Amino acid sequence: MERAIDTQLEDLKKMILLMGGHVEKSLSQVTTALLTKDLAMFDEVHAIEKRINEDHIRVDNVCMNILAKQGPVAKDLRLILSVIKINNDLERMGDQTVNISYSGKDYLGRKPIQAQLSDIQKMSEIAGRMVKGSLDCFVRGDVDEAKQILLMDDEIDALKSKVFKDATAHMKIHSDDVEAALDLILIARNLERLGDHATNIAEDVIFAYTGKDVRHGGKFG
Amino acid sequence: MERAIDTQLEDLKKMILLMGGHVEKSLSQVTTALLTKDLAMFDEVHAIEKRINEDHIRVDNVCMNILAKQGPVAKDLRLILSVIKINNDLERMGDQTVNISYSGKDYLGRKPIQAQLSDIQKMSEIAGRMVKGSLDCFVRGDVDEAKQILLMDDEIDALKSKVFKDATAHMKIHSDDVEAALDLILIARNLERLGDHATNIAEDVIFAYTGKDVRHGGKFG
């Protein structure tokens, strides 16, 4: 017989997937807005973030309800605790996309310093794959795949360092472009943070399904 | 008669206070290291962060244990959920102090661009007061004081904007100082994020003691 909590946990997973879909969309919109110079699209990012914030509160309320009414233990409890954390990471990701929209709008208002924002685009693609991948792992309980997500974070970090290096070098030569270069640095920083949050989710997935705490290099778990 | 859970919740509060003490110390060390040009102090920040990471895992384990064994409801449940979030914010604050130590070390390796880092110092002082204040509120259940913490965040944001503006203006005139100015921008950014996490804690305190969700401007709670 199916337990009531199983249905509730499945519903919770669906809510997280929906919320993750909003984050993916927000990231893809803000990147497209920047790459295609479509200022109006930045506003859509704010509309999506509002929905992410609604999801955030709603997921927390559902978790609290299940905890209060079902008193879950063991694997069920770990799953709910993971959802509480994943919920938090997804909300922060929404904030990052909004930060990117501000810097992106600023950047487009200035003389462009690069013909193509290929590194930013690559970072956004990897971050998007990490968000989607980490939530797929979460729903399927795929711990091996979650470990792959952790590796992708290195790619984003390397690209961030490249953007920082290139933008700094550019600023030193072209003092008129200081603000534009700083915009790109801040955007790269936000994309790196987005990747960090996806990494957190992958770590939470590993904890939820194995009980093994791999945070902080697994040193204290 | 005192319930077993009351003792456990009191112990949990003590653990959070201890962890918060580590965060305050880490922030104060990294700021002093930067202001007094004491490179060795930066290494101490890493040692403190290691303890914060240990606290992080330990607090989560205690929360999970209480949830599994006591099945708390209502105010007790809200308190534990708040602790799970506060724990996360404190751990992130530890990361911010480590980020500051990297940028601070870089900055001290270059030609200084300001005689005194008074805005950075002010930001750090406010952030420190916010960390201490938000945890005092948490332990005392002082919701009015928690609301004051939310206001302090505006001061930090204004100082961050000032550091950004001054550093950008400096970079435009002194191209040799681009890296040093960028270090200060990144430090200001991390201090601003530290303030954001203290704000999160204040919001969690309000939720824990009143059941009122003031996140996202209280629009969806």
Side-chain angles (χ1 to χ4, degrees):
Chain A
M1 202 187 74
E2 195 170 38
R3 306 170 306 162
I5 194 171
D6 288 331
T7 318
Q8 290 168 339
L9 292 178
E10 282 309 311
D11 287 347
L12 203 50
K13 283 185 186 176
K14 280 179 203 151
M15 289 175 77
I16 286 289
L17 268 194
L18 258 174
M19 186 176 179
H22 293 148
V23 171
E24 282 177 62
K25 195 172 170 195
S26 192
L27 174 62
S28 129
Q29 296 271 77
V30 81
T31 309
T32 307
L34 180 64
L35 297 176
T36 65
K37 304 182 172 56
D38 185 340
L39 287 175
M41 272 182 97
F42 285 122
D43 297 330
E44 291 173 37
V45 172
H46 291 256
I48 303 173
E49 196 236 0
K50 212 180 135 193
R51 296 193 59 180
I52 295 171
N53 289 344
E54 288 171 11
D55 295 336
H56 183 213
I57 303 270
R58 195 178 300 125
V59 167
D60 262 353
N61 285 339
V62 170
C63 288
M64 195 162 69
N65 255 315
I66 299 178
L67 286 170
K69 294 193 178 143
Q70 304 284 353
V73 294
K75 192 161 167 278
D76 296 336
L77 177 57
R78 285 204 308 271
L79 191 75
I80 291 173
L81 291 178
S82 298
V83 167
I84 289 172
K85 287 170 190 178
I86 292 170
N87 185 33
N88 214 42
D89 281 308
L90 289 173
E91 189 269 336
R92 293 292 307 138
M93 286 176 175
D95 289 347
Q96 305 291 347
T97 63
V98 166
N99 290 345
I100 295 171
S101 82
Y102 288 127
S103 300
K105 219 168 185 169
D106 286 345
Y107 180 78
L108 292 184
R110 315 187 201 277
K111 176 165 72 70
I113 61 168
Q114 289 181 15
Q116 289 180 323
L117 302 173
S118 53
D119 288 327
I120 298 283
Q121 185 171 12
K122 267 186 234 163
M123 288 185 79
S124 170
E125 279 165 9
I126 299 171
R129 287 210 308 276
M130 287 176 77
V131 180
K132 196 180 179 321
S134 61
L135 294 176
D136 281 352
C137 299
F138 167 67
V139 170
R140 294 200 314 266
D142 188 336
V143 172
D144 289 330
E145 188 62 28
K147 290 177 184 164
Q148 292 302 313
I149 303 290
L150 304 185
L151 298 177
M152 290 168 78
D153 199 38
D154 295 338
E155 291 178 58
I156 289 216
D157 288 351
L159 281 164
K160 186 219 75 173
S161 297
K162 183 168 181 296
V163 172
F164 267 53
K165 202 169 147 250
D166 293 347
T168 308
H170 186 96
M171 279 196 256
K172 288 177 81 81
I173 302 173
H174 308 277
S175 63
D176 284 352
D177 292 340
V178 156
E179 287 93 347
L182 199 52
D183 291 333
L184 295 188
I185 284 178
L186 293 176
I187 290 170
R189 180 83 163 180
N190 281 304
L191 288 171
E192 181 210 13
R193 295 290 307 126
L194 236 149
D196 287 344
H197 287 292
T199 301
N200 291 347
I201 293 179
E203 289 175 345
D204 286 329
V205 170
I206 295 171
F207 175 70
Y209 290 99
T210 69
K212 187 170 159 43
D213 200 327
V214 296
R215 296 176 299 178
H216 309 304
K219 289 192 293 289
F220 315 113
Chain B
M1 202 186 75
E2 193 169 39
R3 307 169 306 161
I5 193 170
D6 288 330
T7 318
Q8 289 168 340
L9 292 179
E10 282 309 310
D11 287 345
L12 204 49
K13 282 184 186 176
K14 279 179 206 153
M15 288 175 76
I16 285 289
L17 269 195
L18 257 177
M19 187 176 177
H22 293 148
V23 171
E24 281 177 61
K25 194 172 171 196
S26 191
L27 174 61
S28 132
Q29 296 271 77
V30 81
T31 309
T32 307
L34 180 65
L35 297 175
T36 65
K37 304 185 174 52
D38 185 340
L39 287 174
M41 271 183 99
F42 285 123
D43 297 331
E44 292 173 36
V45 173
H46 291 257
I48 303 173
E49 195 235 1
K50 212 181 135 192
R51 295 192 61 179
I52 296 172
N53 289 343
E54 288 171 9
D55 294 336
H56 182 216
I57 303 269
R58 195 178 300 123
V59 168
D60 262 354
N61 285 340
V62 170
C63 287
M64 195 162 71
N65 255 317
I66 299 179
L67 286 170
K69 294 195 179 143
Q70 304 283 354
V73 294
K75 192 160 167 277
D76 296 334
L77 177 58
R78 286 205 307 271
L79 190 75
I80 290 172
L81 291 178
S82 298
V83 168
I84 290 172
K85 286 171 191 177
I86 291 170
N87 185 33
N88 214 41
D89 281 308
L90 289 173
E91 188 270 335
R92 294 290 309 135
M93 288 175 173
D95 290 347
Q96 305 291 346
T97 62
V98 166
N99 290 344
I100 294 171
S101 82
Y102 289 128
S103 300
K105 219 167 187 173
D106 286 346
Y107 180 78
L108 292 184
R110 314 185 204 278
K111 177 165 70 73
I113 63 170
Q114 290 181 14
Q116 290 181 322
L117 301 174
S118 53
D119 289 326
I120 297 283
Q121 185 172 13
K122 269 186 231 160
M123 287 186 80
S124 170
E125 277 165 12
I126 300 171
R129 287 211 308 277
M130 287 177 78
V131 180
K132 194 178 179 326
S134 61
L135 293 176
D136 280 353
C137 299
F138 168 68
V139 170
R140 296 200 312 268
D142 188 337
V143 173
D144 289 331
E145 188 62 30
K147 288 175 184 165
Q148 293 302 315
I149 303 290
L150 304 185
L151 298 176
M152 290 167 77
D153 198 38
D154 295 338
E155 291 177 59
I156 287 218
D157 288 352
L159 281 165
K160 185 217 76 170
S161 298
K162 184 166 179 297
V163 172
F164 266 53
K165 203 168 146 253
D166 293 347
T168 309
H170 186 95
M171 279 197 258
K172 288 176 80 81
I173 302 171
H174 308 279
S175 62
D176 283 353
D177 293 340
V178 156
E179 287 93 347
L182 199 53
D183 291 333
L184 295 188
I185 284 178
L186 293 177
I187 290 170
R189 180 83 163 180
N190 281 304
L191 288 170
E192 180 210 17
R193 293 291 307 127
L194 236 149
D196 286 345
H197 287 293
T199 301
N200 291 347
I201 293 178
E203 290 177 346
D204 286 330
V205 170
I206 296 172
F207 175 70
Y209 290 98
T210 69
K212 189 168 158 43
D213 200 328
V214 297
R215 295 176 301 178
H216 310 305
K219 289 192 294 288
F220 315 114

